[in-house]
Amino acid sequence: MMSWPEQVVRVQSLSESGIRAIPDQYIRPLSERPLFKLGSQFHRHVDVPLIDLQHLFGKDPTLHLDTLNRISNACRDWGFFQAVNHGVSHELMTRARQVWRDFFNLPLQAKQEYANAPTTYEGYGSRLGVVKGAVLDWSDYFFLHYLPVSLRNQSKWPMQPSSCREVVAEYGCQVVKLCTTLLKAMSIDLGLKEEYIENAFGGDNMGACFRANFYPKCPQPELTLGLSSHSDPGGITILLPDYDVARLQVLNDGDWITVNPVPGSLIVIIGDQIQVMSNAIYKSVEHRVTVNSAKDGLSLAMFFNPKSDLVIEAAEELVSEERPALYEAMTFDHYRVHMRMKGPCGKKRIESLKFNTP
Ligand code: OGA
Ligand code: NI
C-alpha cells in the first residue's frame, strides 16, 4: 500500500508543543506568503458576492429570476459566492462544528486510530500529496466518503464523540439537498436542461466527500498557509467556515481577496469539473486559507463530484464552431490523481487540460 513519503507530523501537536518558530517544511516561498502583494489589493475595495437563496425556487417569478441572475454573475465572475437562507439548519450547522471540534480535541492516541493513507485519503490526515520535501500546509483534517452510499463506510468515521456519525449523516443530507438545488439553478442559467449537471455527474450515483479542516494556532502566520492555493477538483463545494476569523482568500483579477464570512452563511465554491462542463462559462475559483496566531479554526467542506468513472466534457449545447471545447475530456477518477499525488497546485491541473489552439 502506498504510504506517506515522510513521517506524519500532526500540526495540532506541533502547535500545542509551544514552539515559537515553525519548522522549515511549513515555510512557503516569499511569493506565496499571505502578505506578498500580487496586484493592486491596497487600492481595491470589493464586495464579494452574497446571495439570499430564499426565493430561488419560490413562487414569485421576478424574485426567482433575480436570484438566478445573481448566481449567474457570481459563477461567471468569481467562481464562488456566500449564501444565506440556504435551507441548511443553523442548529445542525452548530452541532456539526461542535462534534468536529470535540473530535480534534480528543487525545492524539484516539485520533491516530483513524490515521489515513494516500490511497483513499479516508481518515485523519495532515498533508495532501505525496511529493517528498514538499512545503506542507498548517492544518490537519478528517476526510470521508459520503456518497455514493456504496462507498460510505461508517466504520471509518469517528466513533467519538458519540454523536459524530449521526450528525455527519444528517448534515450531509441537508447539504446534498442544497447542492441539488444549486446544480439545477446553474443548469438553467447555462441554458441546459434543469437536470443536466446532476445527471452528467451520475444522478443518484454522484459522489460526495466530506472534509473537516482544523487550523491550529500558528506562531508565525506570515510565513505559511493553512491550505495553499488551489481550485477544488470536483463539481461544487459547500463550505461551512469559521465566522469569527476571516481566513479564506479568493483570487480575483490578480488580487487575493479575504472573504469576511457572514454569520450563518455557507460558501459555495465552483470546482474544475463545472468549468470543464460549462466550457469555461463558469470558472473554478483559486483559493487558499491563512492561519492565525491567536485563534485556531475549523471548517467543514462537502465536495460534490462526478461519479468517478464518468467522462466529463463540455456540454454539447455549449460548444460551437466559434467556441470549440476548451478542455480534454476525462474521468474524474483520472482527473483527481493530480491533486492526490501533488497536493494543492493553484489551477495548474485544469490548465494542463487545455487543448493547444493554433
Ligand atoms: C477545501 C478548502 C477552505 C477552508 O477544503 O478545499 O478550500 O476555509 N477549504 O477550509
Ligand atoms: Ni478548496
Side-chain angles (χ1 to χ4, degrees):
M1 193 164 84
M2 193 181 19
S3 55
W4 302 110
E6 287 140 14
Q7 198 191 341
V8 175
V9 175
R10 302 305 175 183
V11 178
Q12 188 177 2
S13 306
L14 255 182
S15 170
E16 287 169 1
S17 74
I19 49 164
R20 307 278 289 276
I22 66 175
D24 288 347
Q25 304 92 280
Y26 298 90
I27 301 180
R28 304 216 67 86
L30 194 59
S31 66
E32 295 173 13
R33 292 181 196 169
L35 298 176
F36 186 83
K37 302 293 179 286
L38 283 177
S40 57
Q41 61 187 352
F42 273 141
H43 314 287
R44 216 146 70 88
H45 173 85
V46 272
D47 286 323
V48 306
L50 172 65
I51 306 178
D52 184 338
L53 297 180
Q54 188 181 352
H55 301 292
L56 183 53
F57 288 106
K59 292 212 173 72
D60 187 318
T62 313
L63 291 173
H64 164 75
L65 267 184
D66 179 62
T67 314
L68 207 54
N69 253 324
R70 287 170 194 267
I71 293 176
S72 176
N73 290 335
C75 294
R76 288 164 199 249
D77 301 343
W78 286 84
F80 103 104
F81 57 92
Q82 295 195 78
V84 292
N85 285 319
H86 40 62
V88 179
S89 146
H90 287 176
E91 184 268 337
L92 186 55
M93 287 161 59
T94 306
R95 264 199 293 151
R97 295 185 58 82
Q98 194 57 51
V99 293
W100 285 105
R101 275 225 163 257
D102 292 348
F103 173 80
F104 286 105
N105 284 333
L106 291 173
L108 181 62
Q109 206 67 88
K111 290 179 287 194
Q112 291 291 28
E113 284 180 34
Y114 301 93
N116 74 345
T119 37
T120 65
Y121 273 87
E122 216 168 358
Y124 179 47
S126 295
R127 70 183 286 162
L128 300 167
V130 292
V131 179
K132 200 173 159 88
V135 180
L136 300 179
D137 289 336
W138 193 262
S139 55
D140 300 320
Y141 63 85
F142 199 102
F143 183 79
L144 56 85
H145 290 290
Y146 187 81
L147 288 177
V149 175
S150 58
L151 282 185
R152 192 184 298 186
N153 182 353
Q154 289 214 17
S155 71
K156 293 194 173 173
W157 301 13
M159 200 154 73
Q160 285 183 73
S162 60
S163 60
C164 184
R165 292 176 181 176
E166 182 193 322
V167 172
V168 171
E170 206 182 324
Y171 176 74
C173 179
Q174 292 202 7
V175 179
V176 168
K177 283 192 190 128
L178 170 61
C179 167
T180 317
T181 306
L182 290 171
L183 292 183
K184 281 199 174 91
M186 291 172 188
S187 299
I188 296 170
D189 174 57
L190 288 166
L192 304 167
K193 289 204 187 76
E194 187 174 276
E195 312 289 337
Y196 185 95
I197 301 178
E198 198 185 342
N199 286 341
F201 280 5
D204 289 341
N205 294 310
M206 181 162 70
C209 302
F210 173 90
R211 193 166 72 215
N213 298 299
F214 185 70
Y215 301 107
K217 285 183 216 172
C218 178
Q220 293 178 297
E222 68 285 359
L223 299 182
T224 190
L225 289 168
L227 187 52
S228 42
S229 173
H230 67 285
S231 55
D232 292 349
I236 68 172
T237 304
I238 297 181
L239 179 76
L240 168 46
D242 265 323
Y243 298 123
D244 56 345
V245 180
R247 296 170 188 278
L248 180 68
Q249 298 185 324
V250 296
L251 191 62
N252 182 262
D253 256 350
D255 291 322
W256 283 109
I257 309 288
T258 300
V259 179
N260 288 307
V262 172
S265 68
L266 290 169
I267 297 176
V268 179
I269 295 172
I270 301 290
D272 294 342
Q273 303 306 312
I274 298 262
Q275 179 167 332
V276 170
M277 191 170 285
S278 71
N279 209 16
I281 295 175
Y282 286 4
K283 313 283 189 310
S284 63
V285 64
E286 195 168 334
H287 54 287
R288 67 183 190 183
V289 179
T290 60
V291 288
N292 190 284
S293 60
K295 274 194 162 171
D296 56 24
L298 180 84
S299 72
L300 307 182
M302 272 204 91
F303 304 99
F304 294 92
N305 302 325
K307 181 175 181 289
S308 62
D309 58 356
L310 290 180
V311 173
I312 299 300
E313 59 190 341
E316 225 173 81
E317 294 86 335
L318 305 178
V319 175
S320 63
E321 216 157 300
E322 302 85 71
R323 196 183 172 85
L326 289 168
Y327 307 102
E328 200 182 317
M330 191 173 282
T331 65
F332 184 59
D333 235 1
H334 188 186
Y335 189 88
R336 76 167 151 204
V337 169
H338 190 273
M339 179 69 145
R340 296 208 159 175
M341 303 299 286
K342 303 259 171 77
C345 288
K347 288 191 75 168
K348 281 216 177 89
R349 177 56 166 156
I350 186 158
E351 276 154 21
S352 76
L353 251 59
K354 234 179 181 157
F355 287 121
N356 287 320
T357 39

